[in-house]
Amino acid sequence: RSKELGRNSFQMYKASMNARSLERLSMQSRFQSALENGEFELYFQPLKCLVSGRITSLECLLRWHDPNLGMISPAQFIPLAEELGLIVKLDEWVIDRACAQLAHWQKMNIDVRHLAINVSAQHLTQGDLVNSLHNALSKYELEGNQIELELTEGCFISNFQCAKDVLSSVKKMGVSIALDDFGTGYSALSYLTKLPIDILKIDPSFIAKIPDEYGNSEIVSAIVAMAKALKLHVVAEGVEKQEQMRFLQKLGCHAMQGYLYCKPLSQAAWCEFYQAEKLIS
Ligand code: C2E
Ligand code: MG
Ligand code: MG
Ligand code: MG
């Protein structure tokens, strides 16, 4: 009986393996056709200076509108694209589109100083990030100092030396480096001084628990103090409440990002938001 069971479960395993590899295969071709059919779109979310109230930069956030499944969150498809080895291609598409958009806004007199682009760990070690950036900047006649790259700590863990070399080349182009989701990674704090990091983005999970959960305000206040002592620019992500914003302002946190100020917007919605904001400021 147990032999029988064993064989059955083996067959089931085999069947699910096949299903999974089929799924992988179809995902791979779906990504490809999604790129070709324009199913990917960039959304933009402004970061607001907590001192001047001005918009300091816009973060580019990828959206996938699948004709059958509807909108798929990047939290779902980015890890999949990484697993399938497609992330570098996707990141390169984002870099090109983001730069094209920035150049277009400049022509329309929409004053966006900086655009923040998320980059995957794999892009640092496998792709040619320096080249992709260089190509996009020269194609759209932009300066490096108009771009910020957002990286997570995962980027430095697999190959520190390689990441360091890529980042110093990128820095030479004038591009700024932000450490995203700060506080949730494997945080060897020494990264902050060993790598050319300019900006810390405090993970929204800390902000969400302010003021209710014990210890979170203290952690955020310590992160802000450390960032300032290290002369880093510090941004709080996921700010949803007035109370959180006031707390951050009091700490001297430089900028905030979150639904309280603005959700990620399509390019058309962003232009409307910008025009409305310009009228009041
Ligand atoms: P992230 O870079 O940390 O982006 C911030 C995420 O927080 C975004 O989710 C944004 O929509 C969300 N968010 C902003 N304000 C609030 C708020 O007040 N409350 C809450 N609850 N959430 C807020 P999104 O757009 O779903 O992106 C998720 C992650 O996917 C990003 O995290 C980033 O790691 C990745 N991602 C997005 N676009 C790209 C891309 O173009 N390339 C790469 N490599 N990764 C990307
Ligand atoms: Mg980000
Ligand atoms: Mg983040
Ligand atoms: Mg994230």
Side-chain angles (χ1 to χ4, degrees), residues 46-49 53-58 113 261 270 273 277:
L47 278 70
K48 184 184 178 162
C49 174
R54 290 184 59 113
I55 293 168
T56 58
S57 63
L58 277 189
R113 304 265 163 100
Y261 179 53
W270 155 252
F273 181 87
E277 279 290 274

Side-chain angles (χ1 to χ4, degrees), residues 42 45 59-63 73-75 78 87 91 94 118-120 150 180-181 204 237-240 257-260 262 264:
L42 282 184
Q45 188 180 31
E59 180 172 4
C60 302
L61 294 161
L62 197 53
R63 299 291 177 261
S73 155
I78 297 284
I87 191 67
D91 275 356
V94 171
N118 290 286
V119 170
S120 262
E150 296 198 1
D180 207 350
D181 304 346
E237 276 195 282
V239 179
E240 295 183 356
Q257 180 179 7
Y259 297 165
L260 177 68
C262 184

